[in-house]
Amino acid sequence: MDRDSHCTAEKELLEAVSRITTSSTTSPSDEEENQPKAEISCQVRKENPEKDDAQDSSATLSPNSSMTTKELQEYWRNEKRQCKHIKLLFEIPSTRIVEHHLSKYVMYKIIILQTGSFDSNKSVIERRYSDFEKLHRNLLEEFSEEMEDVTFPKKSLTGNFTEEIINERKLAFKDYLRLLYSMKYIRRSKKFIDFLTRPELQEAYGCLRGGQYTKALEILSEVIGLQERLTRGNPVAIVPTLCAIVVCHKDLENPASAFEYGEKALSRLHVHTSHRYYIPLLETMITLAYELGKDFLSLQEKLEEWKTKKDPVRVFTLKELAVQEYVR
C-alpha cells in the first residue's frame, strides 16, 4: 500500500471511531490509574444516570490524533468491550438436580432484579448448564473479540453433581451473566435476550395455541417485565408479547384488561404503522372500545387513514398472528 492510501485508510478509520465511540480526552486521576482490575471484570465507564441506555454521547476523540491504524483498531476493540454501570442484578440462590429417564442435570435458579431501588417485580427463571453452554457458543460466533477474555466454567468428566462443583458454578454463572450484561453490544443482542426469555415465551405461546389462556397469561405477565428491562432501547420488541396478553384477556372475557394492554402496545407502534401487528391490533382495539363504551371513532379514523395509504393486502387477525409466534 502506498503512503497516500495508507493515510487515507487511517483517516477513514479515525473518522469511523469518532462517529460511534465515546471517550474522554482528560487524563485519568492517580486513583483511576492505580485501580486494581478484577479477575472477571472490565473498566466501567462513568455515565449520567439520567440518560437512557440507548443514548450515546458524542465522540470526543480528536480528529488530529496521531494514532496509527493499528492503534486505532485496538482503540475501537477496547471501546466495544467497554462496560457501564449495571442496571440489572443477577443472583443464583439455589439449584436442583433433575433426573429424567436416562438423563441427569442441574437446574440453576436465576433471579433478575433492578439495582438501585427495591424491586418488587423480580424475574425468576431456571436454566441448565447446556443452556449456558449454548449461549456462550452463540455469543462467540457473533462477538468473538468482546468474548475473547470471558471465561466459561468447563464441564468435568466426573463430580458434576457434587455440592462443591455446583456451588462453584453458581458463583461462576452469576459473574458470567453480570459481565455479559455489562457490555452494551452483548446485552442488546437477540441471543442474550433469547437466553433469558425465549423458553418461557415458548411455553406461554404453546399454552395460548392450546387454549390454556389462564396459564399463558400467567407466564406472559411474568416475562413481560423482564422483556421491558432488556429492550429499553427498542420498545417495539415487546409488542408481540403485549398483543398475546391482549388475546388472552379477550378470550377470557376481560375486555377492560385487554384494552389496557392494547393501549400499551398501540403506543409503541404510533410511528411504526407498517408493523405487522399494527392493523390487527387496531381492529381489535376498535372492537374492545365499542364493547367498553369508549371512544372508538378515533381508532376507526386511524384504520381508514391507513387503508387509504396502503394497497389492500391480506391482514391476519390479532389472534392468528399470536398463535404463529414461537412455533419453531
Side-chain angles (χ1 to χ4, degrees):
M1 181 183 294
D2 58 34
R3 180 177 181 83
D4 291 339
S5 298
H6 182 75
C7 291
T8 301
E10 284 190 5
K11 182 179 180 182
E12 291 175 348
L13 183 58
L14 179 58
E15 290 175 349
V17 172
S18 298
R19 285 196 301 270
I20 58 182
T21 62
T22 302
S23 65
S24 174
T25 57
T26 58
S27 300
S29 63
D30 292 339
E31 181 181 354
E32 289 173 332
E33 289 180 345
N34 298 326
Q35 182 178 354
K37 296 182 179 179
E39 181 177 353
I40 184 166
S41 179
C42 55
Q43 183 64 33
V44 178
R45 183 190 312 171
K46 295 182 180 179
E47 297 187 0
N48 185 344
E50 298 298 323
K51 291 190 177 183
D52 186 81
D53 178 51
Q55 294 178 325
D56 294 324
S57 57
S58 301
T60 56
L61 184 66
S62 171
N64 297 320
S65 171
S66 60
M67 297 169 72
T68 65
T69 300
K70 183 178 180 180
E71 289 172 336
L72 286 168
Q73 289 171 339
E74 181 62 27
Y75 174 83
W76 167 233
R77 279 194 292 269
N78 289 334
E79 278 296 312
K80 290 182 71 178
R81 297 191 194 113
Q82 281 293 327
C83 300
K84 68 179 298 175
H85 293 297
I86 296 176
K87 293 187 174 74
L88 290 185
L89 181 66
F90 297 87
E91 294 290 344
I92 304 181
S94 61
T95 61
R96 62 187 179 94
I97 297 176
V98 178
E99 294 190 53
H100 183 68
H101 297 305
L102 299 177
S103 64
K104 183 179 179 181
Y105 52 88
V106 179
M107 293 294 290
Y108 296 85
K109 181 180 180 180
I110 306 169
I111 296 178
I112 308 161
L113 47 88
Q114 195 153 346
T115 60
S117 62
F118 177 73
D119 189 356
S120 60
N121 297 316
K122 64 183 179 183
S123 301
V124 181
I125 60 176
E126 282 191 317
R127 297 293 183 267
R128 54 189 292 188
Y129 182 94
S130 59
D131 295 324
F132 281 97
E133 196 173 36
K134 181 180 178 182
L135 169 66
H136 193 70
R137 287 198 307 269
N138 289 339
L139 291 178
L140 282 174
E141 291 176 0
E142 187 174 351
F143 304 100
S144 57
E145 291 183 353
E146 292 85 346
M147 295 289 292
E148 65 183 2
D149 295 325
V150 178
T151 58
F152 186 82
K154 302 296 183 182
K155 181 175 286 189
S156 305
L157 294 176
T158 59
N160 287 296
F161 301 101
T162 64
E163 184 177 353
E164 181 182 1
I165 293 296
I166 291 174
N167 286 334
E168 285 179 2
R169 285 185 181 160
K170 278 169 53 179
L171 296 174
F173 283 141
K174 172 187 171 180
D175 287 340
Y176 178 74
L177 291 173
R178 180 198 60 80
L179 182 56
L180 293 183
Y181 182 77
S182 72
M183 293 187 280
K184 179 176 67 175
Y185 290 85
I186 290 179
R187 72 169 169 269
R188 292 180 180 178
S189 70
K190 184 178 185 299
K191 292 175 180 178
F192 182 68
I193 294 171
D194 278 353
F195 168 79
L196 296 171
T197 61
R198 189 177 182 87
E200 287 71 26
L201 288 171
Q202 285 178 321
E203 182 183 359
Y205 279 97
C207 292
L208 191 156
R209 284 189 289 273
Q212 299 175 279
Y213 302 115
T214 301
K215 180 64 175 176
L217 189 57
E218 179 184 332
I219 301 171
L220 291 169
S221 298
E222 289 181 0
V223 77
I224 188 69
L226 179 56
Q227 270 192 304
E228 287 178 324
R229 297 172 193 174
L230 292 168
T231 59
R232 286 179 57 198
N234 182 20
V236 177
I238 68 167
V239 165
T241 306
L242 288 171
C243 289
I245 293 175
V246 172
V247 169
C248 289
H249 275 304
K250 188 172 184 296
D251 279 39
L252 289 170
E253 299 183 357
N254 299 325
S257 296
F259 191 83
E260 177 188 348
Y261 279 93
E263 283 187 315
K264 292 180 181 179
L266 207 54
S267 68
R268 287 164 168 78
L269 295 178
H270 71 283
V271 293
H272 301 279
T273 57
S274 60
H275 195 281
R276 70 186 190 283
Y277 270 89
Y278 181 70
I279 293 305
L281 176 60
L282 205 52
E283 291 175 336
T284 299
M285 290 294 285
I286 291 170
T287 301
L288 290 169
Y290 182 80
E291 183 179 347
L292 294 167
K294 295 180 178 290
D295 173 29
F296 64 89
L297 293 178
S298 59
L299 296 170
Q300 188 70 48
E301 288 175 1
K302 290 181 181 179
L303 180 61
E304 296 302 325
E305 179 184 357
W306 185 90
K307 288 181 177 180
T308 60
K309 294 180 179 179
K310 303 287 182 179
D311 294 329
V313 293
R314 182 191 174 191
V315 177
F316 291 101
T317 66
L318 196 66
K319 188 173 183 178
E320 287 173 339
L321 275 181
V323 298
Q324 293 177 30
E325 296 283 349
Y326 295 94
V327 172
R328 296 181 179 180

